[in-house]
Amino acid sequence: NSFTLRNNQVKKVSFLKMSAHKTEIIPVKCHDDEDPVLRAGVAELFKLYFDELFELGCDLGFQGFQNEWIDLPGKYDFGKMGGLFVAVSVPEGAESQKDSKDVVGCVAIRPLDDNCGEVKRMYIRKSHRRNGVGNLLSQCIIDHAWELGYNEIKLDSLERLAGAVKLYENLGFSRIDPYCECPEEDHVCMNLFK
């Protein structure tokens, strides 16, 4: 993986080369001058995330999740100690995501308090799983959390999302007692300290 600054943006950009494509991780701020495809891609991925969890028997309606893709960036606003990033698949030979409209993954962070951020909405399209995209997004959001000044990151997931839980454990997250409400029996909470 390589990290570069792009157009003096606040965030690092990560690349992962896969076959005839590379994956670029970029911030999404939902400003008027930003490519609207990025915001639409996030909204689509949020909907896919919701639908996939619903198919697995988990309804995120209790979190008011349906409003998140309408109110972007919402609680993930960079100006409010948050952040929202997407993974974009870029064809070989293309200079950047501007030549590609394939948003394949997303991750966000929001503040829990002044010292702790919460990772939310990690989602990778099924067609792009198990090839490093989740790791790139995770590293990006962890780096961003430390840059924001957080000393701790928390997240919650479900045991039935075994790949996600394993990824978080491999990144050094530890299981902790629940810090948030969730009606699911296989709810798992984790944290990572700086």
Side-chain angles (χ1 to χ4, degrees), residues 3 19 31 34 41-43 62 66 71 79 91 131 142 158 164 167 176 182:
F3 294 91
S19 62
H31 293 159
E34 187 173 61
V42 170
F62 74 95
Q66 298 90 326
D71 188 34
N131 61 19
I142 291 168
L158 302 171
L167 171 66
I176 58 172
C182 179

Side-chain angles (χ1 to χ4, degrees), residues 25 28 41-46 49 84-87 103-108 120-125 133-134 137-138:
I25 307 298
V28 179
V42 170
E44 180 187 3
L45 290 173
F46 276 25
Y49 176 80
L84 177 60
F85 297 88
V86 294
V103 178
V104 300
C106 62
V107 67
K120 300 296 286 181
R121 312 307 176 220
M122 167 74 91
Y123 184 79
I124 291 77
R125 288 184 191 275
V133 175
L137 284 166
S138 297

Side-chain angles (χ1 to χ4, degrees), residues 7 43 65 69 84 91 95 113 133 152 176 184:
N7 300 330
F65 180 61
W69 61 73
L84 177 60
E95 299 221 357
D113 61 44
V133 175
E152 181 183 14
I176 58 172
E184 301 298 318

Side-chain angles (χ1 to χ4, degrees), residues 6 21 25 35 54 59 90 97 144 150 181 186 191-192:
R6 187 149 105 25
H21 288 79
I25 307 298
D35 186 346
F54 191 78
D59 184 356
V90 181
Q97 58 83 21
H144 182 65
Y150 292 132
E181 291 186 32
D186 64 338
N191 73 343
L192 179 68

Side-chain angles (χ1 to χ4, degrees), residues 112-161:
L112 282 180
D113 61 44
D114 290 343
N115 296 309
C116 183
E118 181 181 31
V119 174
K120 300 296 286 181
R121 312 307 176 220
M122 167 74 91
Y123 184 79
I124 291 77
R125 288 184 191 275
K126 289 181 181 180
S127 60
H128 285 75
R129 292 180 188 167
R130 297 186 190 354
N131 61 19
V133 175
N135 194 50
L136 278 178
L137 284 166
S138 297
Q139 272 311 140
C140 179
I141 209 70
I142 291 168
D143 290 347
H144 182 65
W146 303 154
E147 289 169 6
L148 288 171
Y150 292 132
N151 295 316
E152 181 183 14
I153 305 169
K154 291 183 179 178
L155 60 83
D156 69 318
S157 190
L158 302 171
E159 293 287 358
R160 68 191 100 158
L161 301 175

